[in-house]
Amino acid sequence: MTASAAEIQARTLAGYADASRLRQVHDRDWVLDQVTGEPRVLLDLGSGIGQLLEAALDRFPALEQAVGLERSPHRLAEAAGRLRAYGPRVALHESDLTTPEPLPHRPDVVTMTSVLHWLYPHERRVLKWTRDHLAPDGVFLLTTYHPARDAHGLGGEDDIVRTVLQARHADVPGLFTAAGILPIATRTRTFDELEPLLERCFRIETVHDRDAVVTVESAAQYEHFHAATFGDYYSRLVEPAERSGFFRAVGETAWRRQVETGHVSHMTVRLWRLAPA
Ligand SMILES: C[S@@+](CC[C@H](N)C(=O)[O-])C[C@H]1O[C@@H](n2cnc3c(N)ncnc32)[C@H](O)[C@@H]1O
């Protein structure tokens, strides 16, 4: 059986530049607008395909080093292509942020957008690492995503996946548990859980919230967004032979919501401006 385009895309997380227009890309200018002065070293954690680094290099001519840490080799390769023209101003490192290695950089700005939930339950390590690397007068700009969560810990994208799977499975939360897949809404800590965690390493200077509303123009567009953003995280809940149907059903479910409610989903995104404690 041949894999569908969405299955292939999910394996390599391809197509993110296009897919991220629906939600994540709005973090970029929101975060960079918080930078004051002329930073010399900016470090982006979970730098993906290098979009924030590219925007920072264009915005801050005095930026000497734009450094990206990222786990996915596919995304790093795409970032390297995007940032090639900036030459030695760019350094990209393959890194797992749940076990970050020391780096010879002392950034005056650290950014992390739409990544922290992937590091659950080990967020403390990267927070401590960031505090230890940040310049004494530096700033850490972090965005966190907060889907509403039900009693099973499911919400946001989990909810779309549940709608797809409940046609065949009576107990979808049980299916997540059996497969060892944590709902993303569980990975995302609440504001009340996050605050003390952040305050162990940082002083919270300001917070800003925005409502991230996702709307789509077709089922295919959402199928593409899901595959590029979540990869094969959820599709592992179904047998390999059912995966192309799974991606298609995610797109169709999202499209039905779009038609019925005028959007697919919405959730609060918080931008935390943090200084070393
Ligand atoms: C939703 S994307 C966000 C990318 C980019 N920061 C943005 O805002 O568009 C999440 C990124 O975090 C990366 N990531 C997830 N877990 C990671 C880990 N343990 N270490 C490093 N990067 C990780 C993923 O590969 C992906 O590029």
Side-chain angles (χ1 to χ4, degrees):
M1 201 185 136
T2 50
S4 67
E7 276 183 275
I8 296 166
Q9 189 190 348
R11 276 178 216 151
T12 59
L13 293 166
Y16 187 74
D18 195 24
S20 60
R21 281 187 242 278
L22 290 187
R23 185 155 64 198
Q24 300 90 335
V25 90
H26 303 287
D27 283 7
R28 198 188 312 159
D29 287 332
W30 195 36
V31 162
L32 292 179
D33 285 348
Q34 287 284 324
V35 176
T36 50
E38 286 290 330
R40 290 158 57 105
V41 180
L42 180 145
L43 169 62
D44 189 29
L45 302 173
S47 48
I49 59 173
Q51 294 158 300
L52 185 142
L53 294 175
E54 183 181 32
L57 285 156
D58 289 342
R59 213 188 241 238
F60 307 114
L63 192 62
E64 291 164 13
Q65 276 279 278
V67 184
L69 301 192
E70 168 59 49
R71 183 181 57 178
S72 157
H74 295 290
R75 291 220 159 142
L76 277 169
E78 195 172 335
R82 166 170 282 101
L83 301 171
R84 188 159 297 127
Y86 298 93
R89 291 175 75 203
V90 174
L92 297 172
H93 302 275
E94 188 170 336
S95 167
D96 182 345
L97 295 171
T98 61
T99 52
E101 303 277 333
L103 270 189
H105 300 289
R106 199 88 172 126
D108 27 36
V109 178
V110 177
T111 52
M112 178 155 65
T113 59
S114 184
V115 175
L116 194 68
H117 50 281
W118 291 115
L119 312 182
Y120 177 92
H122 303 297
E123 302 98 314
R124 180 127 196 272
R125 296 185 194 151
V126 79
L127 296 175
K128 190 172 170 309
W129 183 97
T130 302
R131 181 201 58 199
D132 294 345
H133 282 73
L134 194 60
D137 55 353
V139 64
F140 177 31
L141 301 167
L142 166 72
T143 64
T144 54
Y145 282 60
H146 298 272
R149 180 203 284 185
D150 70 8
H152 300 289
L154 273 68
E157 199 68 12
D158 311 317
D159 215 29
I160 294 177
V161 170
R162 170 172 32 204
T163 304
V164 170
L165 298 179
Q166 68 191 4
R168 294 226 213 134
H169 299 275
D171 176 18
V172 176
L175 195 66
F176 272 78
T177 308
I181 294 175
L182 272 178
I184 303 255
T186 298
R187 292 178 160 277
T188 309
R189 295 185 193 264
T190 62
F191 297 130
D192 287 348
E193 289 167 355
L194 267 177
E195 216 171 279
L197 192 67
L198 295 172
E199 281 176 333
R200 290 173 92 144
C201 298
F202 301 99
R203 185 165 46 81
I204 300 172
E205 288 193 334
T206 56
V207 295
H208 299 278
D209 290 342
R210 73 178 173 93
D211 191 24
V213 183
V214 172
T215 60
V216 280
E217 288 167 7
S218 66
Q221 190 187 14
Y222 199 85
E223 183 178 348
H224 169 72
F225 167 79
H226 178 96
T229 300
F230 299 100
D232 57 9
Y233 188 74
Y234 292 108
S235 63
R236 290 176 289 139
L237 288 163
V238 303
E239 294 299 322
E242 295 172 355
R243 287 186 186 154
S244 71
F246 169 80
F247 284 109
R248 208 171 39 249
V250 166
E252 286 162 359
T253 301
W255 178 240
R256 242 187 342 268
R257 285 185 172 204
Q258 173 71 47
V259 171
E260 285 165 8
T261 67
H263 62 270
V264 179
S265 64
H266 74 103
M267 65 184 72
T268 302
V269 185
R270 177 161 286 188
L271 167 52
W272 309 78
R273 187 187 162 92
L274 306 163

